[in-house]
Amino acid sequence: MLDLTVAIPTYNGADRLPLILEKLRSQINTENISWEVIVVDNNSSDNITEVVKNYQAKWPENIPLRYCFEAEQGLAFARQRAIEESKGYFVGFLDDDNLAEADWVAAAFKFGQEHQKAGAYNGKIIGNFEVNPPENFNKIKPYLAIREHGSQPHLFEPEKLRLPPGAGLVIRKQAWFECVPSRLALTGRVGKVMVAGEDYEALLYLHKGGWEIWYNPAMCIYHKIPKKRLERDYLLPLGKGIGLATCQLRMVNAKNWQKPWIFTRTILGNLRRITQLFIKYRGQVKTNLISAFELEYFWGSLLSPFYIFYKLGKNK
């Protein structure tokens, strides 16, 4: 078994993959680490296989670069395939728009060795913007997987849904196989369906199994944000999609007697938030991009209990 696998799930990421691979090929302080890179093609229609083959021809022999294919679209399926294919004791996930700092691999492996109860951990995620983000963007930047939680390691709070995103996440494979179902309820954004939360769902199962979830500031990646991801057509469906996962996530670690209360509290709490938003912004709720995003998020959260039943009916 290797020390670490770096897995890159990608869908039509042929144009984005070269820069990510260059960053991985340039990693430092890995002389005493056995590691590999896996590109997980999530049913792409571009020339991703050609890109990987070209890099394999000139890739360092001591760091395997492998390709695998996952036909079922959805980030949850791609990550599950990466776990199954990986040979590393730890598996670090980089999305195809994540650029790792030169010491990311070394920092990831070191932290896992030093924190034996850590089932998963993440680090700093800094936004790399194609254009300047809108005013007050900081209010919603965590929803685009841009996170900085200070300079000291600390535990996340899963019981409050305070968790890291899947971008840059490192998991202990033993913990994943022990705790995470092979098929999650939330499968990730596919096409026009923007419902997210698959990364949080997996982490909640790890927490349920007794594993710790950590923040490690020594790990740093840059998340490339193109112009289109700062526009209304992308942000508003994203907000609603994240909200739609809320109730499902709160149910993961809930006891049966708690579930009706979670259902009710989710509805009443988001009715209150929507009312407060309209009072605060008055006529600007729909014209101000940030408040419009918040509205869609609260609206999605309000609908999230009913979304559970919708999915159950759809899957019958």
Side-chain angles (χ1 to χ4, degrees):
M1 178 175 283
L2 300 177
D3 294 326
L4 177 75
T5 295
V6 178
I8 309 169
T10 182
Y11 172 68
N12 287 345
D15 292 338
R16 299 182 294 274
L17 192 60
L19 187 53
I20 298 158
L21 292 176
E22 289 295 343
K23 292 291 184 181
L24 289 174
R25 186 162 59 179
S26 303
Q27 291 291 298
I28 61 173
N29 302 326
T30 61
E31 295 81 6
N32 298 318
I33 301 173
S34 59
W35 62 292
E36 65 174 352
V37 178
I38 299 179
V39 176
V40 184
D41 178 358
N42 197 194
N43 201 24
S44 300
S45 58
D46 62 5
N47 64 329
I48 193 77
T49 55
E50 181 182 343
V51 172
V52 175
K53 285 180 180 178
N54 288 339
Y55 267 88
Q56 286 173 328
K58 54 186 178 182
W59 196 256
E61 291 184 4
N62 61 321
I63 306 169
L65 171 61
R66 298 196 285 131
Y67 167 93
C68 67
F69 181 80
E70 173 51 54
E72 193 163 9
Q73 282 187 313
L75 195 49
F77 303 122
R79 286 179 177 152
Q80 180 65 31
R81 174 53 62 91
I83 294 286
E84 294 168 356
E85 295 282 343
S86 66
K87 297 179 180 178
Y89 189 77
F90 297 97
V91 180
F93 291 108
L94 293 176
D95 293 343
D96 63 14
D97 53 7
N98 297 161
L99 306 179
E101 279 277 29
D103 61 348
W104 188 82
V105 166
F109 180 61
K110 180 182 178 183
F111 191 87
Q113 284 186 306
E114 293 175 347
H115 296 76
Q116 292 296 315
K117 292 183 179 181
Y121 46 97
N122 208 330
K124 295 179 181 178
I125 308 175
I126 300 172
N128 183 335
F129 300 96
E130 183 181 6
V131 298
N132 291 330
E135 187 178 357
N136 294 325
F137 175 73
N138 282 348
K139 292 186 69 175
I140 68 168
K141 71 178 184 180
Y143 298 104
L144 277 81
I146 300 171
R147 310 282 185 94
E148 293 182 67
H149 300 286
S151 59
Q152 296 299 318
H154 61 76
L155 286 166
F156 284 99
E157 300 175 287
E159 62 280 356
K160 298 179 182 179
L161 291 188
R162 293 176 182 169
L163 290 163
L169 184 71
V170 180
I171 64 95
R172 190 181 301 268
K173 191 160 68 171
Q174 171 196 351
W176 185 284
F177 280 134
E178 284 180 1
C179 304
V180 181
S182 59
R183 194 173 186 92
L184 297 170
L186 299 167
T187 57
R189 297 187 287 271
V190 179
K192 294 182 179 179
V193 179
M194 295 290 281
V195 180
E198 72 289 340
D199 41 8
Y200 275 29
E201 185 182 359
L203 291 173
L204 287 168
Y205 278 113
L206 291 177
H207 173 65
K208 187 176 183 178
W211 293 93
E212 296 174 345
I213 315 297
W214 279 85
Y215 168 69
N216 173 24
M219 293 161 48
C220 180
I221 64 172
Y222 293 86
H223 186 185
K224 292 179 69 64
I225 307 293
K227 180 178 180 290
K228 66 179 181 181
R229 289 198 180 182
L230 299 175
E231 296 172 349
R232 295 179 71 89
D233 288 347
Y234 178 84
L235 284 175
L236 300 194
L238 174 68
K240 187 175 181 181
I242 294 172
L244 283 171
T246 302
C247 195
Q248 183 82 59
L249 292 173
R250 293 194 182 282
M251 294 293 189
V252 171
N253 290 335
K255 297 179 174 61
N256 286 334
W257 65 267
Q258 295 174 313
K259 292 180 179 180
W261 168 237
I262 291 172
F263 189 99
T264 304
R265 187 180 66 178
T266 301
I267 295 172
L268 295 179
N270 284 287
L271 281 173
R272 175 177 54 82
R273 294 183 183 96
I274 289 170
T275 302
Q276 290 174 336
L277 194 69
F278 273 105
I279 293 171
K280 179 178 179 180
Y281 290 100
R282 301 180 187 276
Q284 300 180 29
V285 171
K286 292 191 176 180
T287 57
N288 180 290
L289 181 56
I290 303 305
S291 61
F293 178 95
E294 291 180 299
L295 176 62
E296 290 298 315
Y297 172 71
F298 294 147
W299 179 241
S301 297
L302 172 66
L303 295 175
S304 64
F306 307 102
Y307 184 73
I308 293 175
F309 294 115
Y310 165 76
K311 285 201 69 178
L312 287 173
K314 189 177 180 181
N315 293 332
K316 282 184 179 180

